[in-house]
Amino acid sequence: MESIFVNSKNVFLDTANPKDYIRLDRASVIYQSLKDSIEKPLKMILLYGKPGTGKSMFLTKLSLDSADKKNVFLYDTPILDESEFYKRLAQDVFKTKYEGGLNFTQFMRIVKDKNLNQVPVVLLDEAQLYSEELMEKIRLLSDTRALKFVIALHKTEKEDLIAKEHFQTRIWETIELENSLRAELKMYIQKKLMKANCFDTASMFNSKIVNKIYKLTHGNYRDTNKLLYGLFEIYITYEKNNQLYSIKIDQISTKFIEMAAIHTGLIDA
Amino acid sequence: MLNIQELEKRWLKYKIKTYFPYAVIFISLTVIITIISIFATSNVEKTPVMATKPKKHEKKKIVAIQSPQKEQNISTQKKSTTTQIQTVTSIEDTKLTLSPSINFMKHTKNIEQQPYYKVTSSVKKSTKKREKIVQQASIEEEYMDLGEENQIKKKTIKKESALKPYKKQTITIERRDSQNDIKKIIARFKKSNNPALSLFVAKKYYELGNYEQAYNYALITNAINNDIEDSWLVFTKSLVKLNKKNMAIRTLMEYIKYSHSGSARILLDDIQSGKFK
């Protein structure tokens, strides 16, 4: 029989799998507003927030949820080469294979020629990695209203500048994602574990333990996942070494949380 | 696979680092408290000495208040009204006796109605069990009116005031019959042999018409101190009243030779002219 800690550890693998999406009240409201924004005649939608606040998960889920209704295309890895970017869009969105280099003018011609009934939605993750020149081209493409872009980027000073320069004069909507609150974090952890049938470990997270985790991660989902992954790894190691007898099982050990935080770099020791 | 031993070492290091500031604060607080307690205990050893001082101070305070009382009573006598007197706080029973000052003679000379004070102060402790302990202090004042015959007034002034919320004192000033007073003063004179007291008795007897006693005490006063003019005057006036006019004249003449006193000369003229009988 596999240890409960092994299953629990796997729950917190840092992936953007929409199946692992946890419905939290606040996040659900934001997600719904993002879905509504796509229906609106907007050229661009800006989704921004600190790393680990769930931007990628939102885009992935949006892509999955809209797969049967709309032409939604997700690019979770930035295509940094401009020609390659146009070629991928031409191929995925407009079903046009193009041999050799493709420049902006050529791509614009393809867009006008195809003139699709339903405006395709292009989801660009990690948009802060795109060059300013390419971002300007994306802005021009959105102006044609032949393509709709949802751009997810990190909230930094630099990205704010990009937002100002490229998107300020466009009709666009901004949606900000934030870290979870304490109560949300407890629900997030417990729901995530219970979704994977790890009821025993879910009950080990009381408010005191969640507060401790919140202090370390500030409610950041990615940091929380990392920390809890490390935590259950420690539990597994102790279990293997038959050292768990000295540890309380009815609740998560704060010592283990601190050790996991040291291991993941959340505590500088 | 995690290197748990290494991780535990890092964790231990982290915990020590975390608790270090608290440990420093705790140690420094302990040291401070220890130092304070050492100082406190050394002060406690000194406290008995400190505690006795306020008692002395308290006594002094009571004595110091007596003289304003004296002055206040003079004005009280003149106005024949009751006057409030400052309240004296005392924890223990105290009896105070004021001896007549050396300026007594001047007072009796200048102010005919100058009273003689005997002030006693006692604090009565309440025997009833109360939450608030009320103490009463009474000061009895006795005086003799030298100017007017048999004009003895009895006055009681009581005042209760609460300097402290649970302690009250009452000061009572009483004037009593002069016959008793004379006896008391004679008794005191026998103890102290103070010429001021004997002169006072002589004057008082003279006023009461007991010229023999007035003569006697004037003579006693003169024997102690022959420079007191009043003793000569009371002596000669008593002689006149005892129908020994010639002797009085001779005595006054000798005194005038010696002292060149104006008052004695006026009295001599009055006796010789028959104005004073």
Side-chain angles (χ1 to χ4, degrees), chain B residues 191-250:
Chain B
K191 283 183 183 175
S192 65
N193 213 25
N194 190 334
L197 290 174
S198 56
L199 178 63
F200 182 83
V201 173
K203 281 183 175 179
K204 190 63 196 169
Y205 274 130
Y206 182 83
E207 283 163 12
L208 293 170
N210 192 343
Y211 301 117
E212 281 184 13
Q213 284 297 329
Y215 168 86
N216 286 335
Y217 276 94
L219 197 65
I220 290 165
T221 307
N222 200 265
I224 297 165
N225 185 354
N226 62 0
D227 286 335
I228 301 169
E229 189 178 83
D230 276 11
S231 68
W232 288 92
L233 298 178
V234 172
F235 179 75
T236 49
K237 283 197 281 187
S238 300
L239 282 172
V240 173
K241 294 287 183 186
L242 292 167
N243 295 320
K244 293 178 180 177
K245 192 178 173 181
N246 293 332
M247 192 179 168
I249 290 166
R250 278 204 306 274

Side-chain angles (χ1 to χ4, degrees), chain A residues 233-234 237-238 255 258-259 262-263 267-269, chain B residues 1-2 4 7-8 10-15 17:
Chain A
E233 210 174 1
I234 292 166
T237 313
Y238 267 77
K255 179 190 171 185
E258 285 167 354
M259 281 169 71
I262 292 164
H263 178 61
I267 289 176
D268 182 29
Chain B
M1 190 77 176
L2 282 173
I4 287 293
L7 197 58
E8 276 197 331
R10 284 174 72 192
W11 175 79
L12 198 65
K13 199 177 152 187
Y14 160 75
K15 289 309 272 187
K17 211 167 116 183

Side-chain angles (χ1 to χ4, degrees), chain A residues 117-132:
Chain A
N117 293 330
Q118 201 176 22
V119 180
V121 181
V122 178
L123 311 176
L124 298 178
D125 199 6
E126 306 287 352
Q128 75 279 355
L129 296 174
Y130 289 99
S131 67
E132 279 197 33

Side-chain angles (χ1 to χ4, degrees), chain A residues 41-130:
Chain A
L42 300 168
K43 294 175 187 172
M44 275 192 180
I45 297 152
L46 181 66
L47 184 67
Y48 71 101
K50 287 175 186 171
T53 49
K55 295 184 295 293
S56 300
M57 176 62 90
F58 263 46
L59 289 184
T60 315
K61 186 167 169 56
L62 188 67
S63 167
L64 188 78
D65 289 353
S66 313
D68 52 337
K69 297 174 192 171
K70 278 185 176 289
N71 291 329
V72 178
F73 302 93
L74 171 65
Y75 296 93
D76 50 1
T77 316
I79 307 156
L80 299 175
D81 182 68
E82 195 177 325
S83 175
E84 187 63 28
F85 180 74
Y86 300 139
K87 277 167 76 176
R88 284 284 299 275
L89 281 183
Q91 190 178 328
D92 297 343
V93 180
F94 300 104
K95 315 293 179 202
T96 307
K97 275 202 172 184
Y98 205 90
E99 297 298 327
L102 184 66
N103 60 27
F104 181 70
T105 316
Q106 289 165 326
F107 180 71
M108 285 291 273
R109 198 177 295 136
I110 293 167
V111 170
K112 278 179 186 174
D113 290 346
K114 289 287 177 182
N115 196 17
L116 298 169
N117 293 330
Q118 201 176 22
V119 180
V121 181
V122 178
L123 311 176
L124 298 178
D125 199 6
E126 306 287 352
Q128 75 279 355
L129 296 174
Y130 289 99

